[in-house]
Amino acid sequence: MCKGSSLDDSHTGPARLLYPKINGKQASWQEAIDTIATQFHDIRQQHGADALSMYVSGQLLTEDYYVANKLMKGYVGTANIDTNSRLCMSSAVASHVRAFGEDVVPVNYADLELAEMIVLVGSNAAWTHPIVFRRIQQARESNPNLKLVVIDPRKTMSAEQADLHLPLESDSDVDLFMGLARYCLDTGTLDNDYIAEHTQGSEALLDAVKQATCSLESIAEKTQVDRTRLKQFYHWFATKKRVITLYCQGVNQAENGTDKGNVIINAHLLTGKIGREGCGPFSITGQPNAMGGREVGGLANQLAVHRGFDQASIDKVKAIWRAPNMATKPGLKAVDLFDAIEKGEVKAVWIMATNPVVSLPQSHKIKRALKKCELVIVSDICVDSDIAQYADIILPAAGWGEKQGMVTNSERMMSRQRAFLPLRGESKPDWWAVSKVGQALCELMKVEDGFDYESEYDIFKEHVELSSINSDSPQLLDLSELSELSAADYAQWQPKQWPLDGKRPFSDGQFATPNGRANLIVPADSLSQASRGQHQFVLNTGRDRDQWHTMTRTGFVPALTQKETEPTVYLNPLSIERAALKTGQLARLVAPESRAEIVARVKEDDGLGLHSVYLSMHWAGEFGAGSGVNHVTESVVDPFSGQPAFKSSFVEVESFAIGSYFVAIGENADKLGAIADFSSMQVTEGEGQSRNLWRYASKSMLSKQTWTQATDAALNGKLLVMDTEHGWVTLSCANDAALTVKSFVQVENKAFDADVAQITQLIGQPFSLSKTLKAIQTEAASKLVCSCFRVTEKQIVDAIQTQNHTTVAQLQGQLKCGSNCGSCLPEVEKLVNQHHQQSEQIDVVVK
Ligand SMILES: Nc1nc2c(c(=O)[nH]1)N[C@H]1C(S)=C(S)[C@@H](COP(=O)(O)OP(=O)(O)OC[C@H]3O[C@@H](n4cnc5c(=O)[nH]c(N)nc54)[C@H](O)[C@@H]3O)O[C@H]1N2
Ligand SMILES: Nc1nc2c(c(=O)[nH]1)N[C@H]1C(S)=C(S)[C@@H](COP(=O)(O)OP(=O)(O)OC[C@H]3O[C@@H](n4cnc5c(=O)[nH]c(N)nc54)[C@H](O)[C@@H]3O)O[C@H]1N2
Ligand SMILES: [Mo]
């Protein structure tokens, strides 16, 4: 079942946070609000406004974001409010601002159907934006001339579907696009009129492009993409009138992420493929409201409504906020913010709807910082989120479906989410908590109350009013047309796209720069490949189809844990051999400098190059304490955006020598973590309820004594434990005496690939856990393709071969696979192509 269609399940998953807590004890909202306001006030008086901070999230609604931003930048008087969008979109923002003078995405989804070519750069949309990808595939079905090109070091599910895949060397995108500019120059395909009328900086850029370093030979060498493929892409880009370049984290999360964004924008400006139907650079967002956050000014280096910290903007925002304490300079960006917390310069942080101990690089440092921090406030929806254990004060937030307000998507469409579920316990929308603290703080500071909001409507109206400061400026974000919006209009809101006058951004060739011209940007020199040579592997991290971020929404849904059942590191089969590893065994990934390490199961992926390994960002915290990928990523950031380079840390990969390996099911199975170096938790289904299956490994051989002590401690409830290394098993049910079976299992393969089969055989029918285990065994026998209807690869291939199916629709008719959420359709299509027709991937044709 895909993430989307199982949101209902994920909603009821982990234990919900139902009331505020102060130092671990239940407290009333009033106590919590007063405590926060008093402590904020004290710290502010003692150490200044910059000692306070907030770290928020693109999963907040626009109204939540708006009040948080106003509280910090207008009332506390610091711009130390940053967001997890720093990890996600900030390079895109920085490149938009550099090129256009404003953070504007100039493309609409409807352009996808009008394009002649769609280029995906660093985006695995088939998994991460399945609806957009479906739309692209449908557009290709109705227009067979529409080309899809994927630029990604890994042959992803999106790349599998493409007409052309450019498997470039990690972070060599800047070279690849500079090569494109050179090709256009050499072939006379630049749009010289457009360049002359609407851009500036072309001379410097074209000078750089003329250098020998941008010749086809040189680019092929730097990107490691063969010349034929490069030329095919360049030719298509140069000769097709309508090209969309859609890009995501393979672009943003890089040491040169802002430059990557700018060379993509350069290519569109140089060829005049912008501001028109069916073309343009299209940065897509990940989180539901990353765009709304950018609009209100949730990033530390933005003030509000796309304005920066120039005096005129400060004055205008101050007037509308009636702000007593305006921030006058940019605040600390996420990585720097947590550094400042660690140094004790920032004394308080309010974290809202994000999980920085998992999602920021160098997790050990983040944990250290939070332990040291004087005041940590966490607003979350789950009791046990990894971040909750660092909180002094925890506030229960209303979750998806329970709260309402605006979100803006990648194409600037503002929609209103409506609540359809009651609030749980004492949980409250985030805007409410921030406003209440704001009011209490205003009272302590003896300033006029700036947070007297009764509903989301009041806040949105103020956001509209604030945006009117852009009316007499070239900024496109201006919602002042909505100034008469009534509460009833807001309640009945239908999606609206800005600019509200319906004009396509940049269609008049005007940009939000002082002279109206777009900036062509010369990127910094390419990253040094020399330093890469010394290291064994580049660690590429990202997403799996069936999981969401730190798994709080998806990890508790059994159907979603079946595709990737445990922390998994993917390597090319040749790399597995080269590193003297075996598929199925556990491996250690070690950061070369800090020597921090994580453990994950080795799997083959021949879509990866010889120098890279891939691990999803999801497994961490309770799902895989020793596997959180950000334990080994470095805090290297882009110099303009401060966005971490999550896709290219270096790691050494070594085998994990297993001393003992065991699995456990049961309420207290997590207690065995104390004796293990590797643990992972998979939520599985058995007897109509979900059960947690734990896998454990330790480097040392556990003595019988250690073992017995640990299992005794954990035996309060149903528990099954098996130690394959020693060949004995402890089985226990509630009220039963512990049953120890010695020498039951003969283990030949330390890699323990066959764990599940053996357990099933071992426990047999009388044991109630067998169903759970059987389900996992079936999964092991054949890869699950459709999570919604639980259709395996084997079933699909059998159906294709026995029924002679030639289309996806026929398969859907028989097995239903892919007919719910559709996120597995690329996989289903691939199987149809592989097992029936010849692959339709177009061979490279050079003109
Ligand atoms: N299933 C699922 N979907 C999601 C999410 C989720 O957690 N799970 N999260 C959402 C969020 S917040 C986001 S931001 C989006 C992210 O969506 P995507 O950006 O599509 O996802 P990622 O897997 O992070 O990375 C995309 C690709 O970048 C490639 N890449 C790595 N290095 C380079 C490079 O140097 N150059 C190029 N060109 N490519 C490179 C990787 O191989 C990977 O295939 O997904 C959203 N959708
Ligand atoms: N190595 C590596 N690291 C990465 C990435 C990568 O590709 N590789 N990607 C980065 C990207 S693009 C992103 S977006 C981040 C995502 O990383 P995070 O933002 O840390 O991840 P989430 O799991 O989405 O965290 C959301 C938290 O908010 C809580 N929550 C959900 N809804 C609400 C609500 O309405 N209100 C409140 N107050 N709380 C709520 C959830 O319970 C959860 O604890 O990770 C980044 N980190
Ligand atoms: Mo993201």
Side-chain angles (χ1 to χ4, degrees):
M1 199 179 302
C2 91
K3 305 181 309 302
S5 46
S6 45
L7 261 182
D8 261 344
D9 282 7
S10 59
H11 208 256
T12 52
R16 279 292 297 270
L17 186 59
L18 297 176
Y19 46 79
K21 283 196 232 174
I22 301 177
N23 296 326
K25 293 204 187 74
Q26 180 166 358
S28 70
W29 267 105
Q30 200 52 51
E31 284 169 295
I33 289 161
D34 290 342
T35 312
I36 297 170
T38 310
Q39 295 208 29
F40 260 43
H41 188 245
D42 290 351
I43 293 174
R44 188 172 178 279
Q45 284 201 318
Q46 241 186 317
H47 304 282
D50 288 339
L52 297 171
S53 70
M54 278 187 94
Y55 183 59
V56 301
S57 161
Q59 287 168 98
L60 295 179
L61 302 175
T62 301
E63 292 83 350
D64 300 325
Y65 241 128
Y66 179 89
V67 284
N69 195 46
K70 178 177 173 184
L71 173 68
M72 297 308 281
K73 290 179 184 156
Y75 282 71
V76 171
T78 177
N80 283 346
I81 167 167
D82 210 36
T83 147
N84 66 358
S85 294
R86 179 71 56 201
L87 320 178
C88 182
M89 307 310 311
S90 59
S91 297
V93 175
S95 54
H96 288 150
V97 173
R98 279 209 297 182
F100 307 142
E102 184 181 0
D103 177 23
V104 176
V105 175
V107 185
N108 303 331
Y109 286 127
D111 288 311
L112 294 171
E113 281 93 37
L114 304 169
E116 293 167 88
M117 170 157 95
I118 296 169
V119 189
L120 295 183
V121 193
S123 155
N124 186 12
W127 281 5
T128 55
H129 292 94
I131 297 170
V132 176
F133 195 77
R134 202 62 231 129
R135 194 160 172 173
I136 295 174
Q137 293 296 65
Q138 277 161 357
R140 291 171 83 198
E141 277 158 29
S142 47
N143 173 13
N145 293 323
L146 168 58
K147 299 285 184 233
L148 177 67
V149 178
V150 171
I151 301 178
D152 193 310
R154 184 181 186 198
K155 188 162 190 186
T156 57
M157 190 43 70
S158 312
E160 301 255 11
Q161 312 287 305
D163 296 300
L164 178 67
H165 172 215
L166 308 183
L168 81 176
E169 193 70 18
S170 154
D171 282 351
S172 64
D173 308 66
V174 168
D175 301 307
L176 193 137
F177 278 88
M178 286 297 272
L180 169 60
R182 169 66 169 266
Y183 180 91
C184 296
L185 179 71
D186 289 351
T187 52
T189 45
L190 294 175
D191 186 337
N192 291 315
D193 292 343
Y194 193 90
I195 295 172
E197 282 165 38
H198 304 299
T199 70
Q200 57 194 354
S202 60
E203 275 172 28
L205 177 61
L206 293 177
D207 274 353
V209 159
K210 281 176 200 152
Q211 304 300 310
T213 48
C214 290
S215 68
L216 190 65
E217 294 70 27
S218 175
I219 299 297
E221 166 74 29
K222 286 196 265 188
T223 59
Q224 291 291 302
V225 178
D226 66 65
R227 288 161 52 172
T228 329
R229 276 171 193 263
L230 280 175
K231 259 177 112 170
Q232 176 65 84
F233 167 58
Y234 292 167
H235 171 75
W236 279 344
F237 194 105
T239 53
K240 290 183 186 298
K241 288 212 160 42
R242 294 189 305 277
V243 178
I244 291 176
T245 309
L246 208 131
Y247 55 101
C248 204
Q249 298 314 341
V251 169
N252 297 339
Q253 291 172 341
E255 203 178 335
N256 56 356
T258 304
D259 274 352
K260 285 191 190 186
N262 279 115
V263 291
I264 291 172
I265 296 171
N266 283 348
H268 283 269
L269 289 168
L270 287 171
T271 55
K273 294 185 191 17
I274 189 166
R276 289 194 281 111
E277 274 190 346
C279 56
F282 194 0
S283 148
I284 41 173
T285 62
Q287 302 180 89
N289 196 30
M291 283 293 258
R294 284 150 66 172
E295 288 159 12
V296 302
L299 290 160
N301 53 322
Q302 302 263 301
L303 177 55
V305 287
H306 286 185
R307 294 295 194 114
F309 288 87
D310 56 285
Q311 195 57 48
S313 299
I314 293 175
D315 292 343
K316 287 188 168 171
V317 174
K318 180 181 170 144
I320 290 182
W321 278 351
R322 288 192 281 166
N325 300 304
M326 278 300 286
T328 51
K329 59 175 197 313
L332 295 167
K333 299 176 180 140
V335 169
D336 296 336
L337 174 65
F338 282 87
D339 279 349
I341 294 173
E342 204 205 353
K343 286 191 204 131
E345 293 163 7
V346 169
K347 313 266 178 208
V349 60
W350 185 349
I351 297 167
M352 194 172 276
T354 179
N355 203 341
V357 288
V358 177
S359 52
L360 270 166
Q362 293 194 310
S363 335
H364 43 279
K365 203 168 80 181
I366 308 299
K367 290 179 183 167
R368 233 176 18 236
L370 288 172
K371 274 193 194 132
K372 275 177 72 175
C373 189
E374 245 172 62
L375 174 64
V376 179
I377 304 152
V378 170
S379 295
D380 207 295
I381 56 172
C382 311
V383 175
D384 301 319
S385 77
D386 310 308
I387 182 70
Q389 52 184 295
Y390 296 88
D392 301 301
I393 301 177
I394 305 184
L395 304 175
W400 181 82
E402 300 155 6
K403 57 181 186 178
Q404 46 193 1
M406 290 292 176
V407 295
T408 309
N409 72 3
S410 300
E411 59 162 4
R412 297 163 275 103
M413 187 71 79
M414 298 181 291
S415 320
R416 188 164 166 266
Q417 284 195 355
R418 290 166 172 88
F420 53 88
L421 295 165
L423 289 176
R424 304 269 204 104
E426 293 175 25
S427 64
K428 292 280 188 189
D430 290 301
W431 69 260
W432 184 90
V434 179
S435 303
K436 289 293 167 203
V437 169
Q439 289 189 301
L441 194 62
C442 284
E443 216 176 301
L444 289 169
M445 295 195 301
K446 302 196 172 43
V447 299
E448 196 191 330
D449 178 2
F451 299 90
D452 183 18
Y453 302 115
E454 282 189 357
S455 68
E456 301 84 8
Y457 165 71
D458 295 343
I459 302 168
F460 187 73
K461 272 285 285 230
E462 195 179 297
H463 173 50
V464 166
E465 188 191 349
L466 188 62
S467 77
S468 70
I469 65 173
N470 289 334
S471 299
D472 59 355
S473 79
Q475 312 282 326
L476 293 177
L477 177 64
D478 171 13
L479 309 176
S480 51
E481 248 179 60
L482 299 169
S483 59
E484 300 298 313
L485 187 84
S486 68
D489 297 337
Y490 177 80
Q492 287 150 24
W493 179 275
Q494 291 304 311
K496 287 184 189 40
Q497 200 184 23
W498 61 263
L500 293 168
D501 61 8
K503 248 174 58 189
R504 175 183 288 280
F506 314 143
S507 52
D508 53 3
Q510 287 298 303
F511 297 86
T513 53
N515 63 3
R517 287 166 177 272
N519 294 309
L520 290 162
I521 303 286
V522 181
D525 290 340
S526 33
L527 298 180
S528 152
Q529 299 294 330
S531 67
R532 315 197 144 218
Q534 308 159 11
H535 295 288
Q536 200 186 7
F537 290 108
V538 173
L539 169 63
N540 181 359
T541 70
R543 284 148 179 85
D544 186 58
R545 190 191 74 189
D546 287 356
Q547 291 299 335
W548 177 265
H549 296 171
T550 66
M551 298 173 72
T552 49
R553 283 154 72 120
T554 44
F556 291 92
V557 186
L560 296 180
T561 65
Q562 296 189 19
K563 184 171 161 294
E564 197 178 85
T565 54
E566 58 183 324
T568 309
V569 56
Y570 298 88
L571 292 98
N572 185 294
L574 289 172
S575 315
I576 294 181
E577 231 181 282
R578 205 183 68 184
L581 297 166
K582 283 210 173 76
T583 300
Q585 83 166 103
L586 291 178
R588 294 158 52 226
L589 277 69
V590 186
E593 274 169 33
S594 68
R595 305 308 294 169
E597 64 176 64
I598 55 171
V599 180
R601 183 81 64 191
V602 174
K603 259 198 186 171
E604 289 184 9
D605 178 354
D606 52 17
L608 281 163
L610 295 181
H611 303 290
S612 57
V613 301
Y614 186 88
L615 197 103
S616 81
M617 63 168 289
H618 310 298
W619 297 94
E622 63 189 319
F623 294 97
S627 305
V629 74
N630 285 327
H631 281 289
V632 294
T633 52
E634 297 294 334
S635 305
V636 174
V637 300
D638 176 276
F640 302 98
S641 66
Q643 180 158 355
F646 283 122
K647 304 272 186 265
S648 53
S649 295
F650 299 114
V651 282
E652 291 155 13
V653 184
E654 288 160 19
S655 122
F656 177 98
I658 295 178
S660 298
Y661 185 98
F662 45 100
V663 294
I665 292 179
E667 254 172 45
N668 292 313
D670 58 334
K671 296 217 169 81
L672 295 173
I675 54 170
D677 298 300
F678 163 77
S679 75
S680 75
M681 180 183 92
Q682 182 195 356
V683 176
T684 63
E685 217 161 30
E687 307 201 311
Q689 50 175 299
S690 62
R691 285 223 167 78
N692 303 343
L693 170 73
W694 294 80
R695 295 176 167 87
Y696 288 113
S698 72
K699 289 178 192 166
S700 56
M701 290 264 229
L702 298 175
S703 69
K704 182 87 191 275
Q705 200 191 358
T706 313
W707 180 254
T708 317
Q709 277 170 2
T711 49
D712 280 353
L715 280 185
N716 179 19
K718 287 189 182 175
L719 180 79
L720 167 101
V721 178
M722 175 167 80
D723 181 322
T724 52
E725 201 63 37
H726 298 95
W728 35 260
V729 170
T730 305
L731 295 170
S732 169
C733 295
N735 309 322
D736 285 1
L739 165 70
T740 306
V741 187
K742 289 187 183 174
S743 307
F744 206 99
V745 187
Q746 295 299 313
V747 187
E748 282 166 10
N749 178 5
K750 280 191 186 172
F752 205 60
D753 228 2
D755 59 350
V756 167
Q758 287 172 345
I759 304 164
T760 312
Q761 186 196 352
L762 174 69
I763 58 177
Q765 281 312 314
F767 283 93
S768 55
L769 302 175
S770 58
K771 271 193 197 153
T772 305
L773 297 165
K774 259 196 189 142
I776 305 163
Q777 187 189 29
T778 317
E779 192 272 324
S782 174
K783 202 178 115 199
L784 191 75
V785 174
C786 172
S787 307
C788 297
F789 294 108
R790 307 210 170 183
V791 186
T792 63
E793 182 170 317
K794 185 168 181 306
Q795 286 173 290
I796 295 175
V797 174
D798 284 353
I800 295 171
Q801 287 168 347
T802 54
Q803 307 296 316
N804 243 345
H805 290 323
T806 55
T807 65
V808 172
Q810 289 168 325
L811 271 171
Q812 285 176 326
Q814 188 187 341
L815 299 171
K816 288 177 142 180
C817 48
S819 52
N820 185 30
C821 76
S823 76
C824 65
L825 279 175
E827 272 97 331
V828 180
E829 270 164 4
K830 185 182 152 190
L831 290 172
V832 174
N833 288 338
Q834 265 177 0
H835 294 277
H836 197 269
Q837 309 152 335
Q838 288 299 316
S839 166
E840 283 188 345
Q841 193 158 61
I842 290 175
D843 274 340
V844 176
V845 185
V846 183
K847 306 246 164 75

